[in-house]
Each structure stands twice: as C-alpha cells, then as structure tokens.
Amino acid sequence: MAFQASWLQRQLGRELLELRESRGHTTREVGEALGWAHTKVGRIERAENKIDPMDVIRLAKYYKLSDADSERLCTMARESRTDSWWERFKPWINEPYYTLLGYENDATRLLALHNSVVHGLLQTEGYMRGLFETSALIRDPDHVDIHIEVRLLRQRRLFEPEPLVVDVILQDSVLGTPFGGVKVLNEQLKHLRELAELPNVVLRSIPATSPVTRMPLDIYEFGGGDGPAVASSESIFSTVVHDGPLEVRQARRALERVRSAALSPEETVRIIEQRIRETH
C-alpha cells in the first residue's frame, strides 16, 4: 500500500511550509543551506513520506525557532503514526467518520462529553450490538459487524505503550440506559469500572438535573494541550469536524462549563458501582 500521511503529519508539513514562506525562502534555498535536494523540502512540506524528527530539528534551527516551538514540532513528528488500519473499511463508513478515525489515531488526548450513550472507545461488544438494534440508520447485519469491528479496533489505543489519554463526561442517565438489556448494561458498567482504573482514563458523570447545556462533543489534542486540536460533534445525521482555532476554543469553553458541573472521578466510580449492584 502506498504511504498514507496521517493528519498530524500533514499538519506538520503545512506548518513547515508556512514557516518557510514567512521567511521568504524557496525550497531550493532551504535545500542548499541544509545540503538537501530542494525536492526533499517539498516532500516534507507535502508529507509524502514520514517526516523524520531530525529533519525537523534542522529546519527549526535554520528558521531560528525558539526551543519551545522546535520541541513542539519535533513532538508532532515523533508522535505521528503511519498505520492507517481503517483504510480497508472505507467502503463501509461515511467520509466524516473516516476522517475522524484519522484524527483519533494521531491524537494524544481526548476530551469528550456524551449525553445519550457510552463513548464508543469505552463500549463493550454487547452494548454496541444493543445500540445497533435500536438504530434506524444501520440495520444490515454485515454493516453492523463491520462497524463493531472498527469500534473494537479503535479501542486498542487505550492499551498501547503510549496510550491515548481519555477524559470523558457521561450524562448520569447513560449509566442506567439498558441498551441490549439489563445483563448487557451490567457488563458495560463493570467494563467502565475496570477502565476507570487505568491511569490514562478519567470518567466523570453529570447529573441530569444540572442546569447546563450539553451535547455530544469530542476534542482531540495532538502533542499536548499547547499543540493543534480538532473538535467534532455528532448528530443522528452526521459527524461534523471543526479544526479552526475559533471553533476549537468555543468547544473547549463549552466542555469546561459542563466539567465544572460534573461529579469527580471518585464520585463517578461510586455511582457506577451502585448501578452495578442495581443491575446484578
């Protein structure tokens, strides 16, 4: 399969292109200064190959970047990934979801709010099937199996050596909605309790009575809180992704308002344990 640049690699290439243009240099001038062919500079900026962190260091030094900016770009190069495992599922999933999988694959941290179902990264297979049984959009058995396989593959990011850090807010009522039946809900609740013990997973619940506006929202961060980020919102019709700075700031503010009204992770685990007993 031909090389497929991840979103983070493409973003890094765009930033390096903007840096060069802001300095008024041509690719030939940069290449000659660094002892490279000018075509290499262009390939880096277009992310035609995986970008080497050492090349980023040399470019950052040539552009006279600060240590902080240089390290941020190097972090993007080190943390970018090339395993586009979801490529083979493209015929089965819509374009916004396909794009979102690329973001999730590259992200270092996820901040999320879900007010009707458990987040896909945290679902058991039984819970997934229970959801699809109630879905009016995906009913074909083969289509359902593909979506479940994709969702389970996504969850590998939680258990990698450098796992995705996840901070999820769930509406309290989500912990009591028995998609797939009470037994499936009990298994889902036990799964949430186990995930909450992972150092990279934080769960918070928000009481339904809290007077704060809430809607499904995911914010994917790349390379830490000071790096690039994208926000996505999902409805019954589609998934919309926003990568503009203004939209991301607004999404962060909306999520922070909900977090301020949410229960602590410790209180949330106690509620989960109570619901486990109630559904036993």
Side-chain angles (χ1 to χ4, degrees):
M1 182 184 297
F3 175 79
Q4 294 284 333
S6 66
W7 179 86
L8 192 58
Q9 291 161 357
R10 295 195 302 272
Q11 178 69 17
L12 175 57
R14 284 193 293 268
E15 291 201 29
L16 293 172
L17 168 63
E18 291 170 0
L19 279 169
R20 177 177 60 76
E21 291 181 339
S22 69
R23 267 65 172 176
H25 298 311
T26 65
T27 57
R28 186 174 299 278
E29 289 170 342
V30 175
E32 289 178 352
L34 298 180
W36 299 342
H38 70 95
T39 53
K40 175 176 178 175
V41 179
R43 288 196 303 271
I44 288 174
E45 294 175 349
R46 293 187 297 273
E48 293 180 355
N49 303 101
K50 191 176 189 310
I51 302 174
D52 189 327
M54 293 305 298
D55 288 342
V56 174
I57 290 174
R58 297 188 66 186
L59 287 167
K61 184 176 181 180
Y62 179 70
Y63 295 141
K64 296 182 170 57
L65 297 186
S66 66
D67 290 344
D69 285 339
S70 178
E71 179 57 30
R72 182 180 65 83
L73 294 179
C74 285
T75 298
M76 291 173 68
R78 287 193 298 268
E79 294 180 348
S80 61
R81 302 153 66 85
T82 57
D83 178 21
S84 301
W85 58 264
W86 60 97
E87 176 76 19
R88 63 189 175 96
F89 298 103
K90 191 170 185 178
W92 294 86
I93 56 182
N94 61 39
E95 190 64 31
Y97 187 35
Y98 181 83
T99 301
L100 188 66
L101 292 175
Y103 292 141
E104 189 172 87
N105 190 62
D106 266 352
T108 53
R109 186 181 183 214
L110 166 66
L111 307 172
L113 165 63
H114 277 227
N115 63 346
S116 59
V117 300
V118 172
H119 193 284
L121 287 175
L122 312 177
Q123 294 173 5
T124 64
E125 182 174 346
Y127 187 90
M128 295 176 201
R129 293 195 179 277
L131 283 176
F132 284 117
E133 286 174 1
T134 66
S135 172
L137 300 179
I138 302 177
R139 301 303 294 270
D140 173 70
D142 292 327
H143 208 161
V144 168
D145 287 344
I146 288 293
H147 274 259
I148 288 175
E149 183 178 357
V150 169
R151 200 165 293 183
L152 291 172
L153 288 170
R154 290 169 56 195
Q155 294 180 1
R156 296 180 302 180
R157 292 256 20 232
L158 300 179
F159 305 99
E160 294 175 344
E162 296 184 6
L164 177 67
V165 176
V166 174
D167 190 329
V168 175
I169 302 171
L170 295 172
Q171 173 112 357
D172 179 70
S173 58
V174 170
L175 303 175
T177 305
F179 290 106
V182 175
K183 181 180 178 181
V184 170
L185 175 60
N186 181 267
E187 293 171 349
Q188 176 64 68
L189 292 167
K190 290 178 179 177
H191 184 59
L192 289 175
R193 181 180 61 186
E194 292 173 358
L195 290 175
E197 296 176 357
L198 297 175
N200 57 304
V201 175
V202 175
L203 301 180
R204 310 172 198 268
S205 65
I206 180 168
T209 55
S210 295
V212 59
T213 302
R214 67 207 78 174
M215 61 192 69
L217 178 64
D218 289 328
I219 300 175
Y220 291 99
E221 297 180 345
F222 308 88
D226 57 345
V230 299
S232 72
S233 56
E234 185 177 359
S235 72
I236 190 173
F237 300 108
S238 66
T239 299
V240 181
V241 178
H242 307 275
D243 58 5
L246 175 60
E247 291 91 341
V248 171
R249 284 199 304 273
Q250 291 175 328
R252 287 188 187 280
R253 285 196 293 267
L255 197 58
E256 189 54 42
R257 284 193 292 270
V258 179
R259 182 182 286 111
S260 67
L263 301 178
S264 69
E266 294 77 18
E267 292 172 311
T268 299
V269 169
R270 286 196 289 271
I271 289 177
I272 291 173
E273 290 175 341
Q274 178 184 337
R275 297 291 170 82
I276 290 173
R277 292 190 294 270
E278 292 171 354
T279 57
H280 182 68

